[in-house]
Amino acid sequence: MPVSTAADADADVKSAPVDTMCPYRLVLEHVTSRWGVLVLIELLDRPYRFSELRRAIGRVSDRMVSEKMLTQTLQTLERDGLVHRDAKPVIPPRVDYSLTDLGREAAEQVRALALWTERRIPEVLEAREVYDTRKAAAEQG
Amino acid sequence: MPVSTAADADADVKSAPVDTMCPYRLVLEHVTSRWGVLVLIELLDRPYRFSELRRAIGRVSDRMVSEKMLTQTLQTLERDGLVHRDAKPVIPPRVDYSLTDLGREAAEQVRALALWTERRIPEVLEAREVYDTRKAAAEQG
C-alpha cells in the first residue's frame, strides 16, 4: 500500500484515503476506536437497545457518547460483521444490537486488553509519578 | 467520575479534561491509540532508535508517522511506564527505545488483538460486501 508523504502525516486519520488503507489496519482501528472498545465490551454482557447502550457506555466512560457518534460506531461495526442490528417491526420501533460470533471473538480480545489495563493501573500511576518527579528535577537542576 | 453533558459529547478526546478522566480509560486510550498500537507491536521484536522505529512503522502503516506524533506517542508510553528511553552519552547522541516488563505485557495483549484482526480479515471483507449489497438494494427498492 502507498506510503504517503510527510506533508500529510499529521492529518487526522478520518481524512485518510480510506480505499488505500490496508484492511487489517482499518479493522484494527475500528475495534480499538474510543467508542468501538466500549461498545464491544458492553455487548459482551447482553444485547442492548440503542438508548440503553448509550447510557451503559456513559456509566463506564468519563462522558456520554453523542447519538451521532454511537450511530456511526454501530454502523461501522455492523458493516464489519461484528455487530448484528435487529430492527423489530413493532410500534414503537424497537432496535436491538448484539454481537455476532465474529464480534464476540473481537470483543473478548478487547476485553482482555481492558482487563489487563485495569489490573496494571497502580504500576502505571507509580511510573507516572517517577517520570514527573524526574522531569521536574531535571528542569530545576 | 463526572459524566459530562451532551453539549460536549462530540468534542475531540484530546480536549477532554484529562485530570477528571478515569486512569483506566486513559491508559487504555494510550495503548489503543493509532500510533501507540504500532509502537508497542514493533518494540516487541527488539529495541529501536527513533528514526529506525519511524521507518519500521511506515512499513506496516498506510502512512508515515510524523516525528512530532512519534515523539508524543513515545513520551506518553514512557510516562505510563511501558517504554524505556535510553539516551546514551555518545557523539552523535544515540537514543534507544525498548519495552519495559510492563510494556511487554501490554504489547502482547495488543498483538493478540492485531493477530486476531489479521486472521479474520476475509470474514470482515465478506460481511462488508453483504452489508453494502443489502444497502444498495434497499436504496433502489
Side-chain angles (χ1 to χ4, degrees), chain A residues 2 4 9-10 16 21 24-25 27 29 34 38 62-64 66 79-80 102 105 114 116 120 128 132, chain B residues 2 4 9-10 16 21 24-25 27 29 34 38 62-63 66 69 79-80 105 114 116 120 128 132:
Chain A
S4 48
D10 274 327
M21 271 186 86
Y24 152 65
R25 286 286 320 142
V27 175
E29 285 188 8
R34 174 167 177 71
L38 299 183
D62 58 308
R63 60 171 67 187
M64 284 297 279
S66 69
R79 183 167 180 261
D80 284 346
L102 194 62
E105 282 182 23
W116 178 87
R120 293 305 199 192
R128 283 186 192 169
D132 292 346
Chain B
S4 49
D10 274 326
M21 270 186 89
Y24 152 66
R25 286 287 319 143
V27 175
E29 285 188 11
R34 173 168 177 72
L38 299 183
D62 58 308
R63 59 171 69 187
S66 69
M69 281 304 299
R79 182 168 180 260
D80 284 347
E105 282 183 24
W116 178 87
R120 292 307 200 192
R128 283 186 192 167
D132 292 346

Side-chain angles (χ1 to χ4, degrees), chain A residues 28-41:
Chain A
L28 190 58
E29 285 188 8
H30 296 166
V31 301
T32 59
S33 73
R34 174 167 177 71
W35 302 116
V37 164
L38 299 183
V39 165
L40 291 172
I41 292 175

Side-chain angles (χ1 to χ4, degrees), chain B residues 22-38:
Chain B
C22 163
Y24 152 66
R25 286 287 319 143
L26 202 52
V27 175
L28 190 58
E29 285 188 11
H30 296 166
V31 300
T32 59
S33 74
R34 173 168 177 72
W35 301 115
V37 164
L38 299 183

Side-chain angles (χ1 to χ4, degrees), chain B residues 39-100:
Chain B
V39 165
L40 291 171
I41 292 175
E42 289 301 318
L43 290 182
L44 264 180
D45 285 343
R46 63 173 177 91
Y48 274 95
R49 296 171 71 169
F50 185 87
S51 52
E52 262 188 334
L53 180 59
R54 192 164 169 244
R55 280 194 301 273
I57 289 174
R59 279 193 293 273
V60 296
S61 180
D62 58 308
R63 59 171 69 187
M64 286 297 281
V65 53
S66 69
E67 293 194 3
K68 189 180 148 198
M69 281 304 299
L70 183 56
T71 301
Q72 279 178 10
T73 302
L74 286 165
Q75 274 173 359
T76 300
L77 296 175
E78 186 192 356
R79 182 168 180 260
D80 284 347
L82 305 178
V83 161
H84 176 65
R85 181 180 185 277
D86 182 20
K88 292 198 172 56
V90 293
I91 295 170
R94 167 168 185 154
V95 184
D96 286 307
Y97 294 89
S98 57
L99 293 175
T100 62

